[in-house]
Amino acid sequence: MKEANVMANENEFTKWYIQTIQQGELMDYTPVRGCIAFKPDGYEIWEHIQQEMDRHFKETGHRNAYFPMLIPESFFEKEKDHIEGFSPELPWVTEAAGEVLEERLALRPTSETMIGHLYSNWINSYRDLPLLLNQWSNVFRWEKKTLPFIRTSEFLWQEGHTAHECEEEARQETFQMLEIYKNVIENFLAIPVYDGTKTPSERFAGAVDTFSVEAMMKDGKAVQAGTSHYLGTKFAEAFDIKYLSRENKHSYAHTTSWGTSTRLIGSVIMVHGDDKGLVLPPTIAPVQVVLIPVGPVKKNPQVLEKLEEMFAELKRNGVRVRLDDSDQSPGFKFNKWEQKGAALQIQFGPRDHQNGNFVLKSRDEEDKQTFEITELLSVVEEQLEAMQKRLFQKAKSFRDQNSHLDIDTLEQLKQHIKKSQETDAVPGWILAGWCGAETCEQKIKDETKFTSRNIPFNAITKKSHCISCGEKAAHTVWFARAY
Amino acid sequence: MKEANVMANENEFTKWYIQTIQQGELMDYTPVRGCIAFKPDGYEIWEHIQQEMDRHFKETGHRNAYFPMLIPESFFEKEKDHIEGFSPELPWVTEAAGEVLEERLALRPTSETMIGHLYSNWINSYRDLPLLLNQWSNVFRWEKKTLPFIRTSEFLWQEGHTAHECEEEARQETFQMLEIYKNVIENFLAIPVYDGTKTPSERFAGAVDTFSVEAMMKDGKAVQAGTSHYLGTKFAEAFDIKYLSRENKHSYAHTTSWGTSTRLIGSVIMVHGDDKGLVLPPTIAPVQVVLIPVGPVKKNPQVLEKLEEMFAELKRNGVRVRLDDSDQSPGFKFNKWEQKGAALQIQFGPRDHQNGNFVLKSRDEEDKQTFEITELLSVVEEQLEAMQKRLFQKAKSFRDQNSHLDIDTLEQLKQHIKKSQETDAVPGWILAGWCGAETCEQKIKDETKFTSRNIPFNAITKKSHCISCGEKAAHTVWFARAY
Ligand SMILES: [Zn+2]
Ligand SMILES: [Zn+2]
């Protein structure tokens, strides 16, 4: 693969992506349409993300709970926008234990309805508020076009659901959770994101406001990496979530929901991966350090002994380390562990042993470095941290280079896209003015496939005119092709 | 509730159980048949169990993965015994995204078939073996009679699935995992279990051998707390899981599976709970220590200040501690936190503050004790550990008292059951001889509702004659009424 070509070509990029996650042994296809199996390395990445997210959720007073996966059809009908948004994608259980069910049961696409029903029982007084729960679970959306991790019929996610006394507190919660997403995605997954408000057409079905963090992939397309919704009292009214207020009045609770999913795994690959395969931030890499014996090892048993010592020292200190003492050649191993995204390779042979050195190569760098064995642990810790920072900086540079601020008309955008194609460049994102009319958003989409990503909280610059109609801009918006 | 009565009366015991888990805020019912919601305290218990199990799985070389929840109907048909066992309980997805599916998809009751299909792709050579995976997930069994945590239409569990070169290694794996279950259930959940082999009629559908750990509830009934199956080459043959052996021959892999579920939560309640509500082993109690101010606190602000210090010290040291400074009366709080199963209550008022003391009461003991504040952390740690041990010993004494070794005929069993009813005692379990005929097992069940639990690995005593037909006993078996 030549990166520039692949990035700019949709088919090539998809081919590269699928090859990368398969050779990296993250997933496999299954005979069930759009449902993948997570292999251990793929699932372990998710476990690391889960632990980090969960820690932040608990630190901010949230607790986990679990709600039924099957949702009665009548529940969906209680919130008009919600059923309109989700009904085209629902799988239905219609039979169980040999009998046809009286009411169809949907496989949850999200749990606002079931949770709304239960919260109406659990919340009676302002003393029960705020109610701050989260669920880790599988969900289902029967989508036409699927792509492993990014868009699958079944996926894994977390969904937070909170209820509050007033709008202000509920809105604060949505911002707090979006900030946690931004923090984890940037600092833990090394993916820079733009945070902002979704336009009405891109809102969650049933939300008053949807906020998102959006990430740029290496092909210049956007992934909505996390969303946080202020639901107003819409679900409270639909499910009768009322509480007796401090003023002794029956009031509807203000609710929120927020979610991130296994599409974060796909995003990590599409942001950091390269032509050799997986590149994973050390925080989530199943293998942070792989030790590879080189040179005539069999004649020098003390080399392997020393490697086992090094392995033990790293493992004892919490490093996810592997010693590859298999029969394969060193060259084979170098490739294999690059493909699988091991963060650091340590190469060690008889001469290194003699000199008291080891050779280290970071997955994201070309050059090898030599260090003293006595410094093993501190070198590894420093190098992992340095790699984590480099990955973020590299992704941020790429994103900044491909965030275009100077495209102000639809004609300019079309020219820009055309030029990108001709020069094997990615079209990236544009920051553009928008008058607020859905027709303008639609026109941009129809003519360029660019959709609104979000209205950034902190726009780099403010735009005065709508890119589509030329009228006065009400908002400055990120537009991009998106997954 | 008077414990003796409740234990011996099925309806009373069930009523007590449901009241206990509802007042303890562990769960709630939902409108979907047999599906419950796990409230935060109920789910937190599961999180603690998960963490402990998962640690043992990983220490023994297992990794987590995730497989699709929907399983094509044709998969089930590949293993005759398996479909016979599970088809009566399956819910089916027949429609998705507005279209009728060509093939029905079952909600997984367990994943041997899907995993068998994938393992046939993932396993090619002896180098790929052993394959040691585990999955944490939701599963579905549409049962007629449900009871929260113990038997629900949807439940949470872990299912391990491994593949090996030979029978011996696979059997070792099944024993290793059963031993882990026994270890966690006894040492972490403080529930003593009998480990042994299931009789053929009680085997997992499709297994060559099923092994189980069985626990006695306070009503004398049994819960199968964990199972481990040696599947032979049955699933390997059904799904073509073949590998090229060290001798260069195509051979079927020997597979195992093993599982524990959220019924462990139900078991904990039914083993340790009492007439005041939940009693939870400190290892899993969401609240290990609750600090309760007593006496005229408002006039003595330094009492609350000191409590906050104590709270901070315990929290800093990893104790799950709560300070209940709400408006309610101390008496209300004592009851509330007993009901919710807080392991230790620390009561602290102005006089205690003056004396530099605090008063401590363990959930499972009647008496309070007084300690010096300077000893807070070490006292708490000691008391939590002591309570953990007491709960196990208490449960073990109860089980041993109700494990009957001297019942050798069906007539004696009937007399025993009758006498138990008359004396408000639980009938408990009996260790009895069995000739090996399924008709004898069936007769015992028909006439006494006692079913075979398992053939213990280490029988306390060996029986010479079948309790049912009087012929020579082939096995010594635990019989009991079971959930
Ligand atoms: Zn416009
Ligand atoms: Zn017999």
Side-chain angles (χ1 to χ4, degrees), chain A residues 63, chain B residues 26 40-49 188-189 268-269 272 278-290 318-322 337-338 340-344 363 384 387-388 391:
Chain A
R63 299 187 70 194
Chain B
L26 299 189
D41 278 351
Y43 194 81
E44 184 176 330
I45 293 173
W46 183 236
E47 287 181 303
H48 294 309
I49 296 174
F188 199 71
L189 304 184
V268 165
I269 316 309
H272 300 301
L278 296 176
V279 178
L280 300 170
T283 44
I284 58 167
V287 177
Q288 294 176 317
V289 179
V290 60
V319 178
R320 295 192 291 273
V321 59
R322 202 79 68 88
W337 290 104
E338 288 204 314
K340 284 177 71 68
L344 306 178
R363 174 63 182 82
L384 290 173
M387 177 176 168
Q388 184 82 19
L391 290 187

Side-chain angles (χ1 to χ4, degrees), chain A residues 248-395:
Chain A
N248 223 31
K249 272 175 57 185
H250 289 281
S251 309
Y252 284 117
H254 292 253
T255 66
T256 83
S257 67
W258 27 276
T260 53
S261 74
T262 39
R263 80 184 334 213
L264 288 174
I265 301 173
S267 308
V268 165
I269 316 309
M270 287 190 177
V271 167
H272 301 300
D274 67 16
D275 52 359
K276 292 182 207 130
L278 295 176
V279 177
L280 299 170
T283 45
I284 59 167
V287 177
Q288 293 176 317
V289 179
V290 60
L291 303 170
I292 300 175
V294 293
V297 175
K298 290 223 168 116
K299 288 182 211 147
N300 297 278
Q302 70 279 23
V303 167
L304 214 56
E305 272 166 38
K306 189 69 199 169
L307 278 166
E308 272 157 14
E309 267 176 44
M310 292 160 78
F311 173 84
E313 185 189 353
L314 292 175
K315 194 179 160 90
R316 198 171 50 241
N317 285 281
V319 178
R320 295 191 292 273
V321 59
R322 202 78 69 87
L323 168 56
D324 187 349
D325 55 1
S326 64
D327 293 342
Q328 280 121 348
S329 72
F332 179 92
K333 292 178 189 176
F334 300 159
N335 286 335
K336 173 184 163 181
W337 291 105
E338 288 205 313
Q339 211 167 60
K340 284 176 73 65
L344 306 178
Q345 290 197 0
I346 287 180
Q347 305 171 2
F348 187 72
R351 194 189 300 174
D352 303 303
H353 188 245
Q354 235 163 27
N355 298 339
N357 291 337
F358 64 89
V359 173
L360 180 142
K361 187 185 166 305
S362 294
R363 174 62 182 82
D364 63 320
E365 293 201 311
E366 284 308 313
D367 296 337
K368 299 175 186 177
Q369 288 175 277
T370 300
F371 297 97
E372 287 183 25
I373 294 188
T374 50
E375 306 288 317
L376 176 68
L377 181 63
S378 61
V379 166
V380 161
E381 284 171 349
E382 280 163 28
Q383 292 290 321
L384 289 173
E385 210 179 306
M387 178 176 167
Q388 184 83 21
K389 284 191 187 140
R390 279 195 308 273
L391 290 187
F392 179 78
Q393 281 310 327
K394 204 177 159 191

Side-chain angles (χ1 to χ4, degrees), chain A residues 180-193:
Chain A
I180 287 177
Y181 290 160
K182 184 176 178 176
N183 176 5
V184 172
I185 296 168
E186 295 202 328
N187 297 319
F188 200 70
L189 304 183
I191 299 175
V193 291

Side-chain angles (χ1 to χ4, degrees), chain B residues 433-441 444 465-474:
Chain B
W434 175 54
C435 65
E438 205 177 316
T439 48
C440 282
E441 251 183 308
I444 302 166
H465 293 86
C466 176
I467 185 176
S468 182
C469 66
E471 296 292 311
K472 193 164 175 300

Side-chain angles (χ1 to χ4, degrees), chain A residues 110-112 115 119 131-134 159-163 256-258:
Chain A
T110 178
S111 301
E112 278 75 8
I115 290 175
Y119 278 15
L131 183 54
L132 308 173
L133 300 186
N134 176 63
E159 48 179 322
H161 294 269
T162 69
T256 83
S257 67
W258 27 276

Side-chain angles (χ1 to χ4, degrees), chain B residues 300 302-303 306 348-358 373:
Chain B
N300 297 276
Q302 71 280 23
V303 167
K306 188 70 197 167
F348 187 72
R351 194 188 300 174
D352 303 302
H353 187 244
Q354 235 161 28
N355 299 338
N357 291 339
F358 65 89
I373 295 187

Side-chain angles (χ1 to χ4, degrees), chain A residues 433-437 439-441 444 465-473:
Chain A
W434 175 54
C435 64
T439 46
C440 281
E441 251 182 309
I444 302 166
H465 293 85
C466 176
I467 185 175
S468 182
C469 67
E471 298 290 312
K472 192 162 177 300

